[in-house]
Amino acid sequence: MSILVVGNATVDIFYEIKRLPSIGETLLASGRMVDAGGKGLNQAIAASRSGGVVDYIAPLGDDAAASVIRDRLATEKLHTSELLIGPSQTDESIILITPDGSNTIVSTNSAAKWLTVDTVARRLESVQANDTLLLQGNLSKETTEKCLEAAASAGARTVLNPSPIGFSYDDIWPLVSLAVVNEIEAVQLGNSEDPETAGRHLLKVGVETVVVTLGSDGAMAIDEVDRITLKAPKMDVVDTAGAGDAFVGSLVAALDMGLSLMHSMKFAVQVASLTVTQRGTTSAFPSQEKIANLLKCLPNV
């Protein structure tokens, strides 16, 4: 089994600030950090560190910023990494962090939007029924839909984390085996202020299983016959950036290895909870050894 992640990569620039600024206000940052990130990169690394066999495809610019991405990938154990050079600059994110670990993020996606299904067609042709395709919300709607169609046609598991939300997914949901959304995304996409009701709406329009992440409250999974809720352990939160991606990547890896949804979610909640105790995005993810120990310590489900 293997996991194909088609997504973005960004250079993440963090600024530590005492509070979020008001409109028109300038604040001085108390700290700055640069890290490799982007939801595609984050989830690919999290899945790989969690024991998944991961192929990762992402677009970069032909610029100095791309070296931050290359340097990080050189330290990871991804099966293959195809970094495609496009006409746009490497995407970046500006992340503002407050003392309680909360953050706001603004990202560019010109490089991600350049990626078309034609540029990844060769790899999509090799996707098989026991594989998993993992996508996020940074690619264009056309590329997202065509990638899901190819994987679904092959009988593969299709996982979509539609973040950030850049377009309507109404005609895409029937192609999705598993949708992973946070509370805000669930409300926006599921036509309800209640996350569970919103998730059930996504089931009605074609998704097989929906997982809603609930931040410090854990996560919830629903399908046509079951509902699973898991609490997150209490942690000393330093930075929540990347925690959602750590959850998605580790969840997909566990499912791809044949673990039950309950067991996979317990594992993913633990990985995400450790992530919030460190600064950065991929730099904050637990090591492969620490994640392997987490998996061993979880009770069988």
Side-chain angles (χ1 to χ4, degrees):
M1 299 184 202
S2 65
I3 301 164
L4 173 61
V5 181
V6 182
N8 72 329
T10 66
V11 175
D12 290 350
I13 305 172
F14 292 79
Y15 292 102
E16 297 177 24
I17 55 177
K18 58 185 179 181
R19 57 176 173 79
L20 295 179
S22 302
I23 295 176
E25 181 183 17
T26 299
L27 294 179
L28 294 176
S30 60
R32 180 180 182 273
M33 174 183 176
V34 177
D35 198 4
K39 299 189 73 64
L41 179 71
N42 294 346
Q43 294 177 18
I45 288 177
S48 177
R49 290 191 187 182
S50 298
V53 178
V54 179
D55 288 3
Y56 170 58
I57 301 175
L60 299 178
D62 186 12
D63 51 26
S67 63
V68 176
I69 311 299
R70 296 183 189 281
D71 290 347
R72 173 48 49 81
L73 285 172
T75 68
E76 300 296 332
K77 297 179 180 179
L78 296 174
H79 183 61
T80 60
S81 297
E82 283 194 62
L83 300 178
L84 308 174
I85 303 301
S88 302
Q89 292 181 323
T90 299
D91 288 328
E92 69 176 21
S93 294
I94 303 297
I95 304 174
L96 305 180
I97 308 172
T98 57
D100 66 354
S102 300
N103 65 74
T104 58
I105 304 173
V106 178
S107 300
T108 65
N109 70 339
S110 56
K113 289 293 187 183
W114 165 79
L115 191 71
T116 67
V117 70
D118 291 339
T119 58
V120 297
R122 176 181 56 80
R123 181 59 185 86
L124 287 170
E125 290 174 356
S126 65
V127 172
Q128 300 179 15
N130 59 350
D131 294 334
T132 300
L133 172 69
L134 173 57
L135 299 177
Q136 307 78 37
N138 292 285
L139 306 180
S140 70
K141 181 175 183 178
E142 180 183 11
T143 301
T144 301
E145 185 171 13
K146 295 299 183 183
C147 286
L148 289 169
E149 284 179 350
S153 296
R157 176 190 287 115
T158 54
V159 183
L160 176 63
N161 173 221
S163 176
I165 301 173
F167 47 80
S168 170
Y169 288 89
D170 289 349
D171 51 350
I172 292 178
W173 292 127
L175 301 170
V176 177
S177 307
L178 170 64
V180 185
V181 293
N182 63 24
E183 289 180 270
I184 295 173
E185 293 152 1
V187 167
Q188 292 180 359
L189 296 168
N191 298 330
S192 174
E193 293 296 320
D194 174 63
E196 181 176 353
T197 303
R200 294 198 180 280
H201 171 79
L202 299 184
L203 295 179
K204 291 178 181 178
V205 294
V207 182
E208 293 180 18
T209 304
V210 178
V211 171
V212 182
T213 58
L214 305 170
S216 60
D217 289 329
M220 169 178 59
I222 52 176
D223 58 23
E224 293 294 348
V225 297
D226 203 3
R227 176 180 182 270
I228 298 170
T229 57
L230 291 173
K231 290 290 186 181
K234 298 297 182 182
M235 311 297 289
D236 293 326
V237 178
V238 173
D239 180 4
T240 58
D245 294 332
F247 177 92
V248 174
S250 55
L251 175 72
V252 169
L255 289 171
D256 192 67
M257 290 186 286
L259 277 66
S260 69
L261 180 59
M262 171 69 87
H263 200 171
S264 299
M265 286 181 62
K266 285 187 174 182
F267 173 54
V269 166
Q270 293 287 336
V271 174
S273 296
L274 284 179
T275 299
V276 304
T277 65
Q278 303 294 324
R279 293 271 185 223
T281 40
T282 52
S283 292
F285 292 170
S287 66
Q288 187 168 11
E289 292 74 20
K290 186 172 288 188
I291 291 176
N293 287 333
L294 278 178
L295 194 57
K296 290 177 184 178
C297 294
L298 286 175
N300 291 325
V301 177

